[in-house]
Amino acid sequence: MHLILGTAGSFLAILCLAVLMECPKKHLPYAGIVGAVGGGVYLLSLDCEMGVVIASFLSALVIAFLSHTFARGLHAPVTIFLIPGILPTVPGAGMYRIIYYIMAGENGQSAYYFIQTLEIAGMIALAIFLVGTFFNVLKQIQMRRMK
């Protein structure tokens, strides 16, 4: 049940963020779908006990793939779908915990969350890079076939 509620919550949150970012109205539902699927993959990965870092990587892979797919299908920039869609994966709680434990004087906990946050951010960047590269190679193959 929490997976369904989390996915619906991700859809609503991303939809609201896309409105705040002044995303074109015709693309709002697609941005919400990207966020919902990404949030659902993240929650499903956590339920399968894959760990936060791997869950973030898989979620970012799906988000980037859907963003590129919708951008090509709807003739829109990828960032319209990618930036709002990546919100459920961003390690905001980890950044909060870093500062909290620094202020509490617990350097061990702070270092743990610092490393984990860097790992998550790196996995998000890696996933976006991999999918972007995949679509660029695909585009080059299609252009060579047209010649």
Side-chain angles (χ1 to χ4, degrees):
M1 183 66 168
H2 96 90
L3 184 63
I4 295 170
L5 289 176
T7 302
S10 293
F11 177 82
L12 187 61
I14 300 309
L15 195 65
C16 292
L17 180 67
V19 169
L20 287 174
M21 292 179 62
E22 297 180 7
C23 182
K25 289 182 182 179
K26 65 181 180 179
H27 299 309
L28 287 176
Y30 300 104
I33 290 169
V34 169
V37 173
V41 168
Y42 180 78
L43 291 174
L44 184 64
S45 299
L46 287 179
D47 284 348
C48 294
E49 299 179 7
M50 290 186 182
V52 179
V53 177
I54 299 298
S56 297
F57 177 70
L58 293 175
S59 175
L61 270 177
V62 170
I63 290 166
F65 182 80
L66 285 176
S67 296
H68 279 275
T69 303
F70 284 155
R72 293 204 186 346
L74 300 170
H75 304 289
V78 175
T79 54
I80 288 177
F81 310 106
L82 184 62
I83 292 175
I86 209 76
L87 180 72
T89 313
V90 173
M95 290 184 258
Y96 170 79
R97 288 182 185 123
I98 293 167
I99 301 304
Y100 176 80
Y101 286 117
I102 286 174
M103 299 302 288
E106 296 183 32
N107 294 333
Q109 287 289 83
S110 177
Y112 170 78
Y113 285 112
F114 178 72
I115 291 169
Q116 185 183 53
T117 301
L118 285 178
E119 288 174 344
I120 292 170
M123 287 295 146
I124 293 169
L126 179 64
I128 292 170
F129 172 75
L130 288 174
V131 173
T133 302
F134 171 75
F135 275 93
N136 283 339
V137 168
L138 201 63
K139 184 178 180 181
Q140 288 179 356
I141 291 171
Q142 288 175 347
M143 288 178 67
R144 285 185 182 155
R145 285 185 181 169
M146 293 177 82
K147 287 183 179 182

